[in-house]
Amino acid sequence: QVQLVESGGGSVQAGGSLRLSCAASRYTYGSYCLGWFRQAPGKEREGVAAIDSDGSTSYADSVKGRFTISQDNTKNILYLQMNSLKPEDTAMYYCAAVLPGRSGYCYFAPSAMNYWGKGTLLTISS
């Protein structure tokens, strides 16, 4: 089964930048779609950014223009570059993988994901 390991979390001041990484093992490029989710204390897990089977990317409205998702296919590493960080970005960030559906595209929702990493904590101070 696919194994996902996140890294790069930490404590950053508001306005700062950070890059999260997710190393995928037992994974063949193109077999799954990968995405980033986050969960703040007391809140539900939400989607942050994703890369679909055709390489297209999507973002939550709250992070558009500030976060960038990318994938190094040679190393099977998923990245999340986060700029202009805000205190409300504080959360546990998770990498997740999902199989494409019959259409060939992926449905990114917490309940639909097939595999999850254990998460990496990001804390933004004001």
Side-chain angles (χ1 to χ4, degrees):
Q1 63 181 33
V2 175
Q3 294 183 335
L4 305 169
V5 180
E6 303 94 336
S7 62
S11 296
V12 181
Q13 286 193 330
S17 298
L18 205 65
R19 188 178 76 165
L20 303 182
S21 300
C22 171
S25 58
R26 301 181 183 180
Y27 163 83
T28 302
Y29 171 69
S31 58
Y32 287 84
C33 299
L34 300 176
W36 287 98
F37 293 77
R38 67 185 181 186
Q39 187 166 18
K43 294 188 177 182
E44 292 186 353
R45 192 168 298 189
E46 63 176 359
V48 175
I51 297 181
D52 212 327
S53 56
D54 62 356
S56 61
T57 58
S58 58
Y59 298 90
D61 288 343
S62 59
V63 306
K64 280 181 181 177
R66 299 189 297 122
F67 291 11
T68 303
I69 189 172
S70 62
Q71 186 172 357
D72 184 333
N73 303 327
T74 62
K75 299 179 180 179
N76 284 345
I77 299 177
L78 182 72
Y79 298 103
L80 185 67
Q81 177 65 45
M82 304 178 292
N83 299 326
S84 301
L85 285 162
K86 304 176 181 180
E88 51 263 43
D89 294 319
T90 294
M92 185 73 80
Y93 283 73
Y94 299 92
C95 175
V98 63
L99 281 167
R102 293 180 180 179
S103 65
Y105 292 95
C106 292
Y107 177 58
F108 293 97
S111 60
M113 308 309 284
N114 298 110
Y115 299 102
W116 291 91
K118 293 185 178 181
T120 185
L121 181 63
L122 176 64
T123 303
I124 308 301
S125 58
S126 57

